[in-house]
Amino acid sequence: MRRGERSMQDKPVTSVVIAGGGTAGWMAAATLSRNFGPDALKVTLVESAEIGTVGVGEATIPPILQLNAQLGIDEDDLLRRTQGTYKLGIEFVDWGRQGSRYFHPFGSYGADLGGVAFHHHWLRTREGALADYSLNTGAALAGKFDRPTEDPRSVLSKLSYALHFDATLYAALLRERSLEQGVEAVEGRIARVVLDQLSGHVDRLDLADGRTLRADLYIDCTGFRGLLIEQALNTGYEDWSHWLPMDRALAVPTAPAGPPLPYTRSTADAAGWRWRIPLQHRVGNGHVYSSAFTDEAAATEALVAGLDGQMLAAPRALSFTTGRRRKMWNRNVVALGLAGGFVEPLESTSIHLIQRGVVTLMSLFPAGGFVQAEIDCYNRLMQAEMEEVRDFVILHYKQSLRDDTPFWRAVQAMSVPDSLAERMAIFAHCGRLLLGPGELFREPSWVAVMLGQGLVPQGYDPLANGIPESDLRPALQRMRAVIGRGVEALPSHAAFLRERSSAEPGERAG
């Protein structure tokens, strides 16, 4: 091994430069500075006002609550400052067939009985509608919300939720928190990435105004262009567009047309889908589509035709290629957010994948120097995380029963990853779902989408027969009744927001 490379690998990591701001950059800065402090780790973030951020990701999934708590962010304050709302799940319209709709709730369906997952008992009896066993679904569609109670005996303890917020305002909140924790913010455009000639590591960043930034570790948050991870290190990109052919998006804000709903809506279209994300002050709307099956003019027309309120700006277009970097940690560069890869926001995973990247980096942080085994472990974990999300998103297209346009016929006919094909085949036979312990989407999520889009199992787990049907049906009826009463007891989402997020901290009741 060459002398320069050995010394760079053995050197303790005491400084980090984050290239790029936005949600990814400031989430990394806030997390690192919160956990290490300025005496143990110098954190610098460089961003340029000349370079905009994508900023369309406004919907999250429940793990965001853990991150905010770890960062010491008060949730009521966050909702007030980001004009946020609550999210109990996602409604899918026209996905299984035109005219159909189903709800993917956060949280569980019913309760497991006899050590057997609830959905097997439902498949056995078909007692009522599956949605009637979901507190989240009932509350969402009734426009109601409350935080879960701490009493485990109450059905309201089963509520699970996430957030909608203005991503730009959320990044500003993280920026403020980061600066309070000692992060140095540098305004400037990166003109050149200089590599160490011996090791191939990034040595320094030269800014356009002549300043230079150096660090032991660099975090690339420069978006799709991947200024460090790709343009400097030529890491390579694994293209997933043969499974997920959407490569364009349009985003437009509109004025609210009524009280904000506590869920995201996704509506399938001729060559993609449209999102609707309600905030307190506006509604985020967009259209994700495949340019191989439609053009921007037609996609814009479909987006505008589906809007509920008055447009507050012209639609903004962006392009992307679904996939991931072949390595998300290469040498002394870690890529986060769009710099590391992209899975379309159908299941609101974009911000979560940033979070997972940061948390995984914390667990393998190279404080004592770079160890290849740790780098390989990080890449393996993040690859698995992204591939699990990829498979779950592909399911929505592959399992659709629509055949009304060339796009839907093409995605129905496509081959899917072996990992997804096996999971679909096992579920189709007897409703079983064999999930790894660390998978993001758990049994209720797979059940919601598979059944919601028409993948009905031929049978169910025979262990469910251990409970006599004469006992089982009354138990299921009681579950539905308890959930129904729980929904009735909840306040409206709008009322909860008014009370909890409209006042300044310290002025709220309770």
Side-chain angles (χ1 to χ4, degrees):
M1 186 180 294
R2 290 171 293 190
R3 185 175 59 190
E5 187 172 356
R6 177 182 296 275
S7 63
M8 180 163 283
Q9 287 184 341
D10 292 344
K11 180 183 177 184
V13 172
T14 60
S15 59
V16 175
V17 164
I18 301 168
T23 304
W26 288 112
M27 186 178 287
T31 305
L32 289 171
S33 57
R34 173 83 171 183
N35 283 275
F36 285 102
D39 294 334
L41 186 71
K42 179 183 178 183
V43 180
T44 304
L45 186 146
V46 56
E47 62 181 344
S48 172
E50 301 174 24
I51 301 172
T53 58
V54 174
V56 298
E58 296 169 331
T60 66
I61 55 179
I64 190 70
L65 307 182
Q66 301 169 15
L67 178 74
N68 290 333
Q70 290 165 2
L71 294 177
I73 296 174
D74 177 80
E75 189 170 286
D76 291 338
D77 188 41
L78 185 154
L79 269 288
R80 179 183 60 81
R81 294 184 54 178
T82 65
Q83 295 294 309
T85 60
Y86 290 93
K87 176 182 175 182
L88 294 168
I90 306 173
E91 182 185 38
F92 287 92
V93 180
D94 293 339
W95 276 88
R97 291 184 174 89
Q98 284 183 292
S100 69
R101 62 180 62 213
Y102 70 92
F103 198 82
H104 169 198
F106 300 141
S108 60
Y109 288 104
D112 296 348
L113 298 172
V116 178
F118 169 80
H119 72 275
H120 290 288
H121 299 292
W122 182 82
L123 288 169
R124 176 188 172 193
T125 62
R126 308 299 174 95
E127 177 71 40
L130 180 65
D132 293 340
Y133 296 91
S134 166
L135 179 64
N136 272 55
T137 300
L141 299 182
K144 294 188 170 187
F145 178 81
D146 202 347
R147 293 194 183 115
T149 177
E150 295 181 0
D151 183 357
R153 297 169 298 177
S154 170
V155 67
L156 299 181
S157 67
K158 304 300 183 183
L159 273 172
S160 180
Y161 68 94
L163 306 172
H164 302 123
F165 49 59
D166 184 311
T168 301
L169 295 177
Y170 182 62
L173 177 59
L174 293 175
R175 183 183 193 276
E176 179 182 296
R177 183 59 55 99
S178 298
L179 297 180
E180 291 172 354
Q181 295 167 175
V183 173
E184 179 185 0
V186 174
E187 163 64 29
R189 181 174 58 84
I190 301 170
R192 189 167 65 134
V193 181
V194 180
L195 304 182
D196 179 84
Q197 293 301 306
L198 291 176
S199 68
H201 285 216
V202 171
D203 177 57
R204 70 177 192 271
L205 305 180
D206 291 343
L207 305 187
D209 61 7
R211 289 176 295 169
T212 293
L213 296 176
R214 273 192 169 91
D216 303 316
L217 175 69
Y218 295 83
I219 298 179
D220 189 342
C221 300
T222 61
F224 291 122
R225 59 186 180 142
L227 184 61
L228 283 67
I229 195 74
E230 191 61 46
Q231 294 186 24
L233 296 184
N234 300 308
T235 301
Y237 195 80
E238 186 174 302
D239 188 336
W240 291 342
S241 58
H242 50 293
W243 292 315
L244 294 168
M246 279 54 63
D247 59 352
R248 300 287 189 275
L250 296 161
V252 62
T254 58
L261 299 172
Y263 58 90
T264 302
R265 179 178 293 147
S266 169
T267 303
D269 216 313
W273 58 278
R274 291 175 280 115
W275 76 73
R276 185 182 187 279
I277 300 172
L279 303 180
Q280 293 185 43
H281 63 315
R282 64 178 171 85
V283 176
N285 308 270
H287 189 185
V288 177
Y289 65 96
S290 170
S291 63
F293 292 90
T294 192
D295 57 29
E296 185 172 325
T300 303
E301 182 179 355
L303 172 61
V304 172
L307 297 177
D308 295 330
Q310 179 183 0
M311 288 196 298
L312 302 178
R316 184 161 56 97
L318 57 142
S319 304
F320 56 88
T321 301
T322 300
R324 66 170 182 86
R325 300 291 171 200
R326 296 193 181 279
K327 298 177 182 178
M328 279 166 271
W329 185 344
N330 189 3
R331 300 178 186 173
N332 65 336
V333 174
V334 175
L336 291 178
L338 302 178
F342 183 71
V343 179
E344 60 173 279
L346 182 60
E347 284 285 352
S348 310
T349 53
S350 297
I351 290 177
H352 174 75
L353 289 173
I354 298 169
Q355 178 180 343
R356 288 303 307 159
V358 174
V359 170
T360 305
L361 176 60
M362 289 298 305
S363 68
L364 292 165
F365 194 81
F370 294 97
V371 176
Q372 191 59 46
E374 294 180 343
I375 294 173
D376 293 343
C377 181
Y378 180 92
N379 285 322
R380 184 173 66 253
L381 292 172
M382 291 307 300
Q383 175 181 340
E385 188 90 23
M386 288 199 70
E387 288 178 354
E388 288 160 7
V389 170
R390 175 203 68 190
D391 283 5
F392 190 58
V393 172
I394 294 172
L395 170 66
H396 296 65
Y397 294 97
K398 177 64 177 178
Q399 184 50 41
S400 176
L401 302 177
R402 292 184 59 158
D403 62 359
D404 53 299
T405 67
F407 170 80
W408 289 107
R409 292 191 289 272
V411 293
Q412 277 186 51
M414 69 180 171
S415 298
V416 298
D418 292 343
S419 50
L420 176 59
E422 178 184 74
R423 183 162 289 178
M424 292 176 71
I426 291 172
F427 186 83
H429 177 241
C430 61
R432 290 192 178 104
L433 285 162
L434 306 178
L435 305 179
E439 290 194 39
L440 171 62
F441 292 105
R442 308 309 301 167
E443 212 161 50
S445 295
W446 286 94
V447 167
V449 176
M450 286 175 163
L451 291 179
Q453 300 208 188
L455 183 57
V456 180
Q458 299 171 15
Y460 55 85
D461 190 330
L463 293 176
N465 291 325
I467 300 177
E469 188 168 344
S470 59
D471 294 334
L472 179 59
R473 286 188 182 275
L476 297 182
Q477 292 166 5
R478 286 193 296 272
M479 285 185 198
R480 297 205 312 275
V482 168
I483 289 170
R485 290 194 295 270
V487 171
E488 289 179 4
L490 293 170
S492 75
H493 179 231
F496 186 89
L497 282 173
R498 282 195 300 271
E499 178 182 350
R500 305 300 300 182
S501 64
S502 60
E504 296 286 344
E507 296 180 357
R508 294 184 293 268

